[in-house]
Amino acid sequence: MRIALFSDIHANLPALEAFFKDVESRDTDAIYCLGDLVGYNIWPNEVVDEIRKRGIPTIAGNYDFGIGRGSDDCGCAYKTDDEKANGKVSISFTNEIMKDEQRAYLRTLPAHIRLEFQLSDKPLSVLLVHGSPRRINEYLFEDRDEKSMLRIMEQAGADVMLFGHTHKPYHRILESVQTDGSDQFRHAINIGSVGKPKDGDPRGGYVILHINQDASVTDKLSISAEFVRFAYDVEKAAKAVEDCILPNAYAESLRIAK
Amino acid sequence: MRIALLSDIHANLPAFEAVLEDLEKQRPDAVYCLGDLVGYNVWPNQVIGLIRSRGIATIAGNHDLKVAKILPSQDTCSTEKSSDYAYKLVGNKEREYLLTLPRHLKIEFQLNEDSLNMLLVHGSPRSINEYLLEELPEDYMIEMLREFKADILCFGHSHKPYHRIINSGKNGEDHFHHLINTGSVGKPKDGDARACYVILTIDPSASTKNPDGVQVEFIRVKYDVEKAARGIELSLLPDAFADNLRKAY
């Protein structure tokens, strides 16, 4: 089974359209969206409509959670005063242009989706969250302490966990010993961002999760993540930012992927 | 949020195409399929092809798992009628798809202070083969709903659609659960030969305290039953399956 997972589109319609074109050429079995459809660009309604039109199972991101409730807090961890001031402009702009029907969609998005497989004698639980299982806006970076990462996954009962929110893709395999002495491999997979990558590569990114027919937590290679990058019209998305009230810094971050 | 739930297509391409066409009009926000894509008719690969090309999130049904045991026929000259023929038709790529499907999907809503858990299964959370019929005792269902922490339990398998609300609350505290049998797209058994599926609406006010926040609508769709029945009669499948479709039993 090959499952496409994408997230953090952030109102970037040119990137989303390029994503659909790319994923449709790859013959996947299912598609899920891990949230943050809106914020930072001018097409939040269009992005919601494109995802709804396809009936794609989608969970809420922190930005969707805020906009869905008409709140002026997106739950984002801005560090500097400039970032905070820019963030305020973005959320109030998004709240202003969001239409009722699209906002109502964001309001009732689920928080988590879990896929329970039974492909060997042991069950396999695949958990989809936006930030972390504990909090919609927790950042799970690649350098997080291994013990902490394992604890988060154990507490959530997740053998495979897919998430976004940081816009920096990675796949980490965490090894632990089970009560019966056998090795267990957990997979923590950050799927990157379609519309606002921050890993230095301005192309959009998403993941195709490969699950073998006999996949199991004890077989390390029976689950793998393919990181896909696709080119899109970055300049169009950056110009859209510059031509509206949104801070120009957001255009620059699309161009340099920071 | 409006969610479409489809189940028990059973290789009935005319019925499934009619439902897909109806979905274009309904425009739900998400679509899930609760399994049994194959068995009883001659278009398993076409049904799987449509589900895959639309990326519809799907769980396994008991008939989908049968392809592990019933392999493509070596004897291509056989003229003997058998229900096994429905599984022998399934291609290799389609077999792999069916045998790697998840068993359950859990969707957790956090719309208010509490959480609202929706669980999608084919038969029951305990068994892919269990029939959760409408008349099961309330105590039995409450025990199951608690064991699997399901506030909204969606399933198919029996091909008889219903929506039942159960209150498991104690000491004056309400806790409402929804039991939703989606009925069958391709082999209804409730006397109505039209295809059946569900549109579930989750309101922002939905919670275990407010049963009205979850609404269930059963959609019936006319399709070319005769074409589906003839598909069976012209094949090596037992003719009784065609009669089942015409009379919906």
Side-chain angles (χ1 to χ4, degrees):
Chain A
M1 169 125 324
R2 295 163 68 243
I3 303 173
L5 300 120
F6 70 106
S7 92
D8 298 273
I9 304 100
H10 286 299
N12 186 340
L13 186 65
L16 182 68
E17 285 171 341
F19 159 71
F20 281 129
K21 210 171 163 199
D22 191 89
V23 78
E24 277 155 19
S25 73
R26 288 176 195 269
D27 192 33
T28 55
D29 296 311
I31 303 185
Y32 291 88
C33 173
L34 305 194
D36 269 6
L37 281 60
V38 303
Y40 306 121
N41 214 324
I42 65 165
W43 298 284
N45 294 299
E46 291 83 351
V47 164
V48 165
D49 285 344
E50 285 301 312
I51 289 173
R52 288 174 76 202
K53 191 169 86 187
R54 290 172 172 79
I56 295 172
T58 302
I59 59 176
N62 51 300
Y63 222 109
D64 310 319
F65 188 93
I67 296 294
R69 286 160 176 78
S71 156
D72 59 1
D73 182 6
C74 64
C76 314
Y78 299 125
K79 290 191 193 95
T80 65
D81 287 349
D82 274 357
E83 280 180 13
K84 278 178 199 157
N86 288 345
K88 268 196 170 164
V89 176
S90 171
I91 194 147
S92 84
F93 170 76
T94 307
N95 264 319
E96 215 174 282
I97 62 171
M98 209 73 214
K99 294 180 190 158
D100 289 348
E101 190 186 324
Q102 285 75 7
R103 192 192 301 276
Y105 169 81
L106 297 178
R107 173 67 180 88
T108 48
L109 283 174
H112 306 151
I113 296 180
R114 189 188 294 269
L115 288 70
E116 293 178 335
F117 291 88
Q118 183 78 59
L119 302 173
S120 64
D121 46 353
K122 289 195 175 93
L124 180 73
S125 181
V126 176
L127 180 64
L128 318 183
V129 302
H130 178 69
S132 87
R134 308 186 292 201
R135 281 206 329 272
I136 197 168
N137 63 344
E138 183 175 19
Y139 293 92
L140 296 181
F141 289 108
E142 191 167 7
D143 59 0
R144 180 175 277 261
D145 173 60
E146 180 155 340
K147 270 188 197 153
S148 155
M149 199 72 178
L150 264 175
R151 195 166 55 238
I152 289 171
M153 292 184 71
E154 277 164 9
Q155 276 171 359
D159 301 311
V160 181
M161 184 166 78
L162 296 119
F163 48 97
H165 190 46
T166 69
H167 305 201
K168 292 180 179 179
Y170 66 86
H171 177 195
R172 234 176 122 177
I173 299 178
L174 303 139
E175 199 174 335
S176 60
V177 181
Q178 290 178 292
T179 41
D180 64 3
S182 64
D183 286 331
Q184 166 158 2
F185 302 95
R186 284 191 160 86
H187 300 256
I189 302 167
N190 187 309
I191 64 170
S193 165
V194 162
K196 205 175 186 313
K198 290 186 185 171
D199 62 346
D201 181 346
R203 292 176 301 168
Y206 68 100
V207 156
I208 299 176
L209 180 71
H210 296 245
I211 298 182
N212 288 359
Q213 208 171 312
D214 54 356
S216 148
V217 290
T218 54
D219 179 359
K220 188 176 175 177
L221 300 175
S222 61
I223 294 153
S224 61
E226 178 186 347
F227 292 90
V228 183
R229 299 306 282 248
F230 58 89
Y232 78 97
D233 193 342
V234 176
E235 210 36 50
K236 184 177 174 186
K239 283 291 283 176
V241 170
E242 286 167 345
D243 291 346
C244 74
I245 194 176
L246 286 168
N248 287 348
Y250 294 142
E252 196 52 18
S253 49
L254 290 179
R255 292 192 182 105
I256 61 173
K258 282 275 156 63
Chain B
M1 162 130 325
R2 292 170 69 247
I3 300 171
L5 301 166
L6 325 173
S7 184
D8 299 273
I9 301 162
H10 286 300
N12 185 339
L13 185 65
F16 187 43
E17 283 177 335
V19 164
L20 289 177
E21 201 175 308
D22 198 68
L23 284 173
E24 305 269 314
K25 280 182 263 162
Q26 287 281 348
R27 299 168 58 93
D29 298 315
V31 183
Y32 293 93
C33 173
L34 308 192
D36 274 6
L37 310 185
V38 306
Y40 298 125
N41 216 323
V42 295
W43 298 282
N45 300 319
Q46 291 86 339
V47 165
I48 292 167
L50 282 173
I51 293 248
R52 289 186 69 246
S53 71
R54 281 167 171 71
I56 295 174
T58 302
I59 57 175
N62 53 311
H63 284 263
D64 303 319
L65 301 184
K66 282 190 186 182
V67 300
K69 300 221 170 75
I70 306 172
L71 301 175
S73 184
Q74 298 299 315
D75 172 19
T76 49
C77 301
S78 172
T79 53
E80 198 184 328
K81 293 229 167 198
S82 158
S83 56
D84 282 0
Y85 178 69
Y87 313 97
K88 291 180 179 174
L89 287 172
V90 180
N92 284 331
K93 190 176 170 190
E94 288 79 8
R95 279 168 195 271
E96 195 185 329
Y97 171 78
L98 295 177
L99 296 175
T100 325
L101 285 171
R103 294 293 183 95
H104 303 158
L105 275 171
K106 276 184 182 163
I107 303 164
E108 184 185 344
F109 292 91
Q110 293 170 357
L111 302 176
N112 301 291
E113 294 313 304
D114 60 347
S115 64
L116 186 69
N117 292 307
M118 180 164 155
L119 176 59
L120 314 183
V121 302
H122 179 69
S124 91
R126 289 187 180 138
S127 161
I128 199 166
N129 282 310
E130 183 179 6
Y131 290 95
L132 295 183
L133 299 176
E134 192 168 4
E135 56 273 17
L136 280 170
E138 195 164 298
D139 287 350
Y140 178 79
M141 288 315 305
I142 287 176
E143 194 192 315
M144 182 183 292
L145 291 162
R146 283 193 183 136
E147 182 183 343
F148 293 92
K149 297 188 176 62
D151 302 313
I152 306 171
L153 180 62
C154 308
F155 46 94
H157 190 47
S158 75
H159 303 203
K160 292 179 180 176
Y162 68 87
H163 174 206
R164 183 177 175 192
I165 298 175
I166 293 180
N167 188 353
S168 73
K170 283 184 283 196
N171 311 322
E173 279 259 328
D174 286 332
H175 187 136
F176 293 99
H177 304 260
H178 298 261
L179 298 173
I180 301 162
N181 188 312
T182 61
S184 167
V185 167
K187 202 175 188 300
K189 290 187 187 172
D190 62 346
D192 182 341
R194 292 174 300 171
C196 181
Y197 73 96
V198 159
I199 296 273
L200 179 74
T201 304
I202 310 258
D203 189 77
S205 70
S207 81
T208 56
K209 311 274 180 250
N210 171 28
D212 300 333
V214 177
Q215 283 127 32
V216 178
E217 193 186 345
F218 295 96
I219 317 275
R220 300 307 287 244
V221 183
K222 266 195 183 161
Y223 77 97
D224 193 341
V225 176
E226 208 38 48
K227 184 175 172 187
R230 292 292 293 158
I232 291 164
E233 286 165 345
L234 294 170
S235 76
L236 292 179
L237 289 168
D239 288 346
F241 294 169
D243 200 48
N244 291 158
L245 290 186
R246 291 190 181 104
K247 297 178 191 151
Y249 68 99

